[in-house]
Amino acid sequence: MSDKETPEKQRERLRQEELKKNPIGIMNDAYKRGNSGNLVDLVGSLGWKGIGILILVIIIGFVILSLLFK
């Protein structure tokens, strides 16, 4: 009984396998889902470099906006 995989674990395993097979296509799908509110797929597809760049862009944008609207 413990050898059986739950449907949730199976979906997550299949999703992770697809991420490994096609990271660019999945990143595009995750970006589109991210626009509708699914941040988990967006973050999962970007990796640590993409997350770092995204955070850096947000910080730079915040600094620029705070300097312009003082």
Side-chain angles (χ1 to χ4, degrees):
M1 187 79 175
S2 64
D3 292 338
K4 289 189 176 183
E5 194 173 35
T6 64
E8 293 84 13
K9 288 185 180 184
Q10 183 180 12
R11 278 193 297 271
E12 181 62 25
R13 180 181 52 81
L14 291 172
R15 190 177 74 82
Q16 291 297 325
E17 288 174 4
E18 183 65 27
L19 281 172
K20 290 177 185 176
K21 290 179 188 174
N22 188 7
I24 300 299
I26 297 299
M27 184 174 68
N28 186 27
D29 292 342
Y31 177 72
K32 290 177 184 174
R33 287 185 200 137
N35 285 336
S36 64
N38 195 347
L39 188 60
V40 174
D41 287 334
L42 175 63
V43 171
S45 67
L46 288 177
W48 69 271
K49 290 179 187 176
I51 300 292
I53 292 171
L54 183 64
I55 291 171
L56 188 63
V57 166
I58 290 171
I59 291 172
I60 290 171
F62 179 75
V63 168
I64 290 173
L65 285 175
S66 66
L67 290 175
L68 289 175
F69 296 109
K70 256 189 174 180

